[in-house]
Amino acid sequence: MNVSADLASLAGDLRDRLPDATTGNASFADLSTYRVGGPVAVLVRVRGVDALVTVAEAARRHQPRLLVTGRGSNLLMSDAGFSGLVVVLEGDFEALDVLERSPGALRAGGAVPLPVLARRAAAAGLSGLEFYVGIPGSVGGAVRMNAGGHGRETVEVLRRAWVLDLLGEDEPPTARARDVTELELGYRRSNLQPSEVVTAAEFAVSPDDAAACEARVAEIVRWRREHQPGGQNAGSVFRNPPGDSAGRLIEAAGLKGLRVGGAVVSEKHANFFQAEAGATARDVLDLVAEVQRRVAKATGVELVPELHVVGDDAGDQGAR
Ligand SMILES: Cc1cc2nc3c(=O)[nH]c(=O)nc-3n(C[C@H](O)[C@H](O)[C@H](O)COP(=O)(O)OP(=O)(O)OC[C@H]3O[C@@H](n4cnc5c(N)ncnc54)[C@H](O)[C@@H]3O)c2cc1C
C-alpha cells in the first residue's frame, strides 16, 4: 500500500499523542464479520472522549480519508485495503447507564454491542430493546444504519444521539446531542456523514417484568438460530425492495448455493452470503454483482445493497 506523506505525518502525529492506541498496517480482516479485506494504513483505537478530541484535531490538520467502524457487521472491506484513518471506539464508549426507570431511559456508549444492550436492559426489567439481541452491531452502527428487526427499528426507540464531527469546525471538537428527528432515520439509513462519530445514544424503554423481557430475548435468539446462518457474513446483503423480500427473490431465482470463489449464497437464508475460509472481498463483491444480475434478469427487480462497501478500490460507501 502506498502511504502518502500526509498519511505518514498523520500516523506520526497520532503515535506521538496516543502511542498505545495507534497501529500502522492493521488488517481490515480483523475489523469485520466477513473477516476479509486488506491493510489499513492507520488504525486508532479510541478509549475516551479526550482521545477522540485528539484524533479529531489530528484529522482536521491532515484531512485523511476516514472510516469509523463499529463491530464491522455491515461492512465489506476491499482487498486493496484503505489508505486512510480507521477509528474504532472502545473503553469508556462501552458504558451503559439506566437514566430513569419511569418513564424509562437508558444511555449507551457508541461502542456498546447491541446484544449486550438488549440483554442488560432485559435483565434490568426495561423493555423495548429486545430486538437488538439478534443484531451483532454496535450502538453507533445501529444509529447510522437505523438497524431493525422483529418489527422494530432504531428510530422507534432512539431519543437522541451524541455526535462528534471529526472534520467539523467546532473548537474544541465536541460531541453534541442530536434529537432523533434531526438524524433523518429511514430504511437502513440516516443523514450521518462518514466523519461523524456517534459517541453515545439515549433510548426510550418501558419498565416491565425482567423475566418477561428475558423470555422475549430468548425467543428472538431461538428464531435467529433457526432461520439465519452463523459463520462469516454481514447479515442481509441487499435491502428489501418495497413490498417484497430480497431473500425471497434470490431464492425464487434459484440462487441458493451459488458460489464465486470462496463466497457462497447461504442455503439457510438467501440474502446472507457466506465468506468461507480463503475467500476474498473480491469473491464477495463478484457474488453480489452476479446475484444482482441474475435477479434482475429473472424478475426485473434491481436489488440495492444494504452492505457498506469500503476500501481503496471499492467506491467507499460509508467512508470519506
Ligand atoms: C448475522 C447478522 C445479522 C444481522 N441482522 C441484522 C438485522 O436484523 N437488522 C439490521 O438492521 N442489521 C442486521 N445486520 C447488519 C448489522 O449488524 C447492522 O447494520 C448494524 O447496525 C451495524 O453495526 P456495526 O457496529 O457492526 O457497524 P459497522 O458495520 O462497523 O458499520 C456500518 C456503518 O456504520 C458506521 N458506524 C459504525 N459505528 C459508528 C459510530 N460509532 N459512529 C458513526 N458511524 C458508525 C460505519 O462507518 C458504517 O458506515 C446483521 C449482521 C449480521 C452479521
Side-chain angles (χ1 to χ4, degrees), residues 101-157:
R101 288 196 63 80
S102 186
L106 202 146
R107 182 180 153 119
V112 171
L114 297 172
V116 171
L117 175 61
R119 288 182 191 281
R120 295 263 300 273
L126 294 170
S127 167
L129 306 182
E130 292 89 338
F131 71 102
Y132 279 142
V133 78
I135 307 178
S138 66
V139 163
V143 174
R144 173 83 189 267
M145 299 300 302
N146 185 24
H150 304 272
R152 293 213 106 169
E153 286 187 321
T154 298
V155 66
E156 296 165 57
V157 292

Side-chain angles (χ1 to χ4, degrees), residues 17 28 48 85 125 141 152 159 181 276 290 310 313 320:
R17 286 154 202 265
F28 259 167
L85 174 64
R152 293 213 106 169
R159 280 186 177 170
T181 52
E276 297 182 340
E290 186 59 19
V310 290
D313 61 350
R320 168 197 173 270

